[in-house]
Amino acid sequence: QKEVEQNSGPLSVPEGAIASLNCTYSDRVSQSFFWYRQYSGKSPELIMSIYSNGDKEDGRFTAQLNKASQYVSLLIRDSQPSDSATYLCAVISTAAGNKLTFGGGTRVLVKP
Amino acid sequence: EAGVAQSPRYKIIEKRQSVAFWCNPISGHATLYWYQQILGQGPKLLIQFQNNGVVDDSQLPKDRFSAERLKGVDSTLKIQPAKLEDSAVYLCASSDAPGPGADNSPLHFGNGTRLTVT
């Protein structure tokens, strides 16, 4: 079982719709959760971090965390073509030596 | 603020050859990371430095990979000899926090070096 799992996609959404991305993790004691965006040929950039159960909103992005079910999700509202990228879920577990472990990423395509 | 600088941008070598990558982190950032990102996968941590000391190199293939950060600033990652499966993008990242989890101290990634081993 992979430590951090994501559907590779592509997730195709029409412009203006909501894109919903999911991520599951295997280590129950994971404490910190991040979403990175990576445009093709570019480096990852942090867009959201979340540490406690519930929702966290930042502009058009909402991160949702459910530690009991071991999943974290990212919602992108009013999707724009510029949101087309690969979204990487990353998790830190102190039990794993405080290492930032990335999932394989979900590719999102927003069609005008 | 200048970003994380990496060079070269691209490198093509034959298997069994040697290669070195260079990284200059953001000024003042004590923590430096090297990640390997194989096409279609997420980045995988190879080594983490805190100043010039190694914090974590548990996933570094030490029979062929080496890294140093002698003066606690810039860093070099070397592969000797290279294998076909080393083809990947090598990302350097830095942070002013001692670990990767601080909310106000995210990892800043460089543009990476794309290595192709033929």
Side-chain angles (χ1 to χ4, degrees):
Chain A
Q1 183 186 12
K2 291 183 180 178
E3 294 179 61
V4 182
E5 293 208 55
Q6 298 180 253
N7 189 315
S8 60
L11 175 66
S12 184
V13 296
E15 184 175 358
I18 296 175
S20 178
L21 292 75
N22 294 316
C23 169
T24 58
Y25 58 94
S26 61
D27 190 342
R28 281 199 163 273
V29 298
S30 298
Q31 297 174 336
S32 305
F33 307 85
F34 306 87
W35 284 99
Y36 284 77
R37 178 177 60 200
Q38 187 172 28
Y39 292 113
S40 181
K42 302 295 185 182
S43 58
E45 57 177 327
L46 181 67
I47 54 172
M48 289 287 287
S49 59
I50 188 166
Y51 302 94
S52 54
N53 280 329
D55 295 0
K56 180 181 178 182
E57 187 175 316
D58 184 359
R60 295 186 295 110
F61 297 99
T62 299
Q64 299 173 318
L65 175 60
N66 184 323
K67 289 186 178 181
S69 299
Q70 295 177 237
Y71 82 78
V72 56
S73 61
L74 179 71
L75 300 178
I76 308 174
R77 289 183 302 281
D78 188 25
S79 296
Q80 301 297 308
S82 59
D83 295 325
S84 297
T86 295
Y87 290 80
L88 298 163
C89 173
V91 174
I92 294 175
S93 166
T94 52
N98 217 32
K99 199 190 332 292
L100 184 65
T101 301
F102 286 87
T106 297
R107 186 173 166 221
V108 173
L109 294 174
V110 181
K111 298 187 174 181
Chain B
E1 171 181 81
V4 176
Q6 288 190 248
S7 67
R9 189 78 174 89
Y10 303 94
K11 190 74 177 179
I12 301 174
I13 61 172
E14 295 181 352
K15 59 184 179 183
R16 291 187 289 274
Q17 286 187 325
S18 303
V19 65
F21 313 126
W22 174 82
C23 171
N24 191 28
I26 292 173
S27 179
H29 281 193
T31 308
L32 185 147
Y33 306 82
W34 282 102
Y35 284 87
Q36 178 194 57
Q37 187 173 23
I38 293 172
L39 186 65
Q41 299 181 18
K44 183 184 86 170
L45 179 67
L46 293 175
I47 189 166
Q48 176 185 344
F49 291 96
Q50 180 72 18
N51 295 308
N52 61 350
V54 175
V55 173
D56 185 347
D57 63 357
S58 57
Q59 298 185 111
L60 185 74
K62 298 181 186 63
D63 58 334
R64 299 184 300 106
F65 286 65
S66 64
E68 59 183 14
R69 194 185 183 199
L70 293 176
K71 296 183 179 179
V73 181
D74 56 350
S75 175
T76 302
L77 176 69
K78 297 180 181 178
I79 307 175
Q80 180 180 11
K83 292 185 175 181
L84 296 176
E85 59 260 37
D86 299 332
S87 294
V89 175
Y90 290 84
L91 294 164
C92 179
S94 71
S95 169
D96 59 3
D103 200 12
N104 296 323
S105 299
L107 269 63
H108 297 265
F109 284 88
N111 286 327
T113 295
R114 182 178 297 277
L115 173 68
T116 301
V117 182
T118 62

